[in-house]
Amino acid sequence: SAKEHYDSNITKKALFDPIENARACAAILKDYLTRYNNNYTYALASYNAGPKITDESYKSKKRPFNIHYVISVYETAAKRTI
């Protein structure tokens, strides 16, 4: 959650602010990237499903159960340009 990764005092109301929401999301993804040794697949899977279930896949070197979510994120990102 944002409280665990970003700011323990953050409120639900603050998460509706696009700037605060983006900061919280970035902090969560950064933590997951560190947790999974910069492996974006597991970081995104954990962002979607939570670390408990993703840790099981990571430790056993299996694809995350929500691999279709991860693929859709990659595909969407590939279609966008900044």
Side-chain angles (χ1 to χ4, degrees), residues 25 29 32 40-50 54 64-77:
C25 293
L29 282 172
Y32 288 152
Y40 283 83
T41 298
Y42 287 102
L44 289 169
S46 191
Y47 185 84
N48 176 251
T54 305
F65 85 97
N66 58 346
I67 192 68
H68 296 291
Y69 165 80
V70 175
I71 290 168
S72 72
V73 171
Y74 284 142
E75 288 174 345
T76 301

Side-chain angles (χ1 to χ4, degrees), residues 16-54:
F16 284 98
D17 173 5
I19 301 294
E20 287 302 314
N21 188 283
R23 286 181 179 150
C25 293
I28 292 167
L29 282 172
K30 181 182 175 192
D31 286 352
Y32 288 152
L33 283 167
T34 299
R35 183 183 195 126
Y36 300 111
N37 198 29
N38 290 320
N39 186 309
Y40 283 83
T41 298
Y42 287 102
L44 289 169
S46 191
Y47 185 84
N48 176 251
K52 184 176 180 181
I53 194 161
T54 305

